[in-house]
Amino acid sequence: MDKQAIFSFIAQQEAYLSGLSDAIWDAAETAFQETVSAEILCKALKENGFTVQRDAADIRTAFIGTYGHGKPVIGFLGEFDALSGLSQVANAETRCPIQEGANGHGCGHNLLGVGCLAAAIGLKKYLEESGREGTVIYYGCPAEEGGSGKAFMAREGCFDDLDAAIAWHPGSTFGASGAGMLGNCQVYFHFTGISAHAGISPHLGRSALDAVELMNIGVQFLREHVPTTVRMHYAITNSGGFSPNVVQPKADVLYLLRAPDNEILADVYQRVQRIARGAAMMTDTEVEVDFVKACSNVVPNNTLGYAAVDNLRQIPLPELPEADLEFYSRISATNRGGNADAPVDLSIPDYVPTDKIFGASSDVGDVSWVVPTISIGAPAWPVGTDAHSWQAVSVGKNPIAHKAMLSAGQAMAGLAIDMMEDPDLLAKAKAEHTARLKGRKYECPIPKGVKPRIISNK
């Protein structure tokens, strides 16, 4: 069975797969709370003949679907978590929450998870029809947004049996990512002082809020003395109350640190910890360091990048309904950098290797340290759409978004078939992966004992 037949098979599942994606869009569950979404995907995997392992890595919403036997073993990295505060009516042309403050699929993970499912069932069909040896694994990866679900899974060895991993992400263009991405870690610093009457006996108080502010000032000065690619973000999550006449006995700050390499990130984290301890000493307070999560920098793979773009050029380009194109045009007009005259870009640019580092982070990075990994892009959103925006949520159930999801599934399945039919391609990808690591082995940046947690502003 050739690749075009597999592409056709995936296209025939459009109504079924679109329904799954829309059901996950409706559920819109955030990190480590994706119980409905996980159930939808697990049920679909079982319907399609996969063996499903629930509670992967001891995470309630992580799961693994497997079909086949032997080598090579190809994995697809499915995501399905939403974002808080991005509730939005589908196919609306203005900001219109279904429920103010509720969740929404701003990053298109409803499409992402089902697109990877499309690739998995396509590769399963290929194995069935060809009689070849090989294994396809669908990874249900929770909490990409702020939870680093894949890093927790990688720490427990979930990806160790893979020969290669393939992912995709909704966007505004076709392509494959050749750039690296930043690793990150997220850490609370909880300061404890002593309350006192700020007017009568301030000398008896020890201000936890003073400690937080001094820590933040210290980090501001640190910015000059780290690589320019390092990012240090923070949010004061507890300022100690709203009474200025009380010396604040408790205050908390949450830091998100990013760096282009795990070793640089570890060094920056240690320096920030020393600043926190210094702030505690200056204010005669105590500080507790509370590690939340981390993810590794992305290790690119040009071998798979070129092969991914080659497969994008082999798939049939989607035919887009005129009414939906007009809707996308109106949405694109609301975006900075939008193009109302050409709201959907179906061009497929050449793959370009680069030493550039993309300023965002993804827990796909942890998988990319374990095995050769590539991520594909497809135009689910109007040109100029920001990932974490109401516009991205609004188009998440549109037929154009569904067609981008199917295109990504076809291209990922095609790339996986190439690796099964051409051992040299997989060997070259592995050799590049080994060369990029320069003798280093994957070490999960999340310490043992740190467990996944739900972060809420409630």
Side-chain angles (χ1 to χ4, degrees), residues 127-371:
L127 290 173
E128 289 173 331
E129 296 293 330
S130 68
R132 281 183 174 270
E133 185 174 283
T135 304
V136 53
I137 301 180
Y138 179 99
Y139 288 93
C141 306
E144 190 276 335
E145 299 287 359
S148 293
K150 296 183 198 65
F152 284 102
M153 294 172 75
R155 189 183 68 180
E156 304 307 316
C158 290
F159 308 105
D160 289 355
D161 293 334
L162 286 180
D163 289 297
I166 308 174
W168 86 285
H169 203 287
S172 297
T173 58
F174 282 116
S177 174
M181 297 178 75
L182 301 175
N184 75 37
C185 66
Q186 189 162 304
V187 188
Y188 272 111
F189 295 90
H190 303 293
F191 290 89
T192 300
I194 301 173
S195 63
H197 193 295
I200 297 173
S201 52
H203 58 288
L204 299 179
R206 301 293 184 266
S207 173
L209 181 58
D210 285 355
V212 165
E213 293 191 291
L214 284 168
M215 178 186 175
N216 292 342
I217 290 170
V219 173
Q220 305 298 5
F221 281 102
L222 177 63
R223 295 180 192 279
E224 184 183 356
H225 306 289
V226 295
T228 56
T229 47
V230 168
R231 299 288 182 267
M232 295 179 281
H233 322 293
Y234 69 90
I236 299 175
T237 58
N238 173 19
S239 61
F242 54 86
S243 299
N245 63 335
V246 177
V247 175
Q248 294 89 346
K250 295 280 187 180
D252 307 312
V253 61
L254 178 62
Y255 266 82
L256 178 63
L257 310 174
R258 304 183 197 256
D261 183 89
N262 282 359
E263 291 181 359
I264 297 173
L265 180 61
D267 176 68
V268 171
Y269 171 48
Q270 293 301 321
R271 294 170 75 181
V272 170
Q273 281 194 82
R274 289 194 288 271
I275 289 171
R277 289 195 292 269
M281 290 176 65
M282 285 190 288
T283 54
D284 199 17
T285 59
E286 302 291 331
V287 62
E288 176 195 354
V289 180
D290 180 11
F291 198 100
V292 178
K293 66 96 181 179
C295 64
S296 299
N297 59 289
V298 169
V299 180
N301 196 284
N302 292 333
T303 301
L304 295 183
Y306 283 115
V309 169
D310 182 58
N311 274 278
L312 284 169
R313 289 176 172 161
Q314 294 176 43
I315 65 173
L317 287 178
E319 297 181 6
L320 307 180
E322 188 61 35
D324 294 304
L325 276 172
E326 292 174 359
F327 168 65
Y328 267 48
S329 178
R330 293 190 291 273
I331 290 289
S332 189
T334 69
N335 294 321
R336 294 180 179 178
N339 186 345
D341 295 326
V344 180
D345 184 358
L346 295 181
S347 63
I348 304 174
D350 292 338
Y351 179 81
V352 179
T354 177
D355 294 327
K356 292 182 178 178
I357 304 293
F358 187 50
S361 306
S362 171
D363 58 8
V364 170
D366 290 86
V367 185
S368 76
W369 271 80
V370 179
V371 295

Side-chain angles (χ1 to χ4, degrees), residues 94-117:
T94 59
R95 176 78 173 95
C96 182
I98 298 173
Q99 179 182 344
E100 195 66 54
N103 306 329
H105 269 285
C107 216
H109 292 182
N110 60 304
L111 301 162
L112 194 165
V114 177
C116 287
L117 176 66

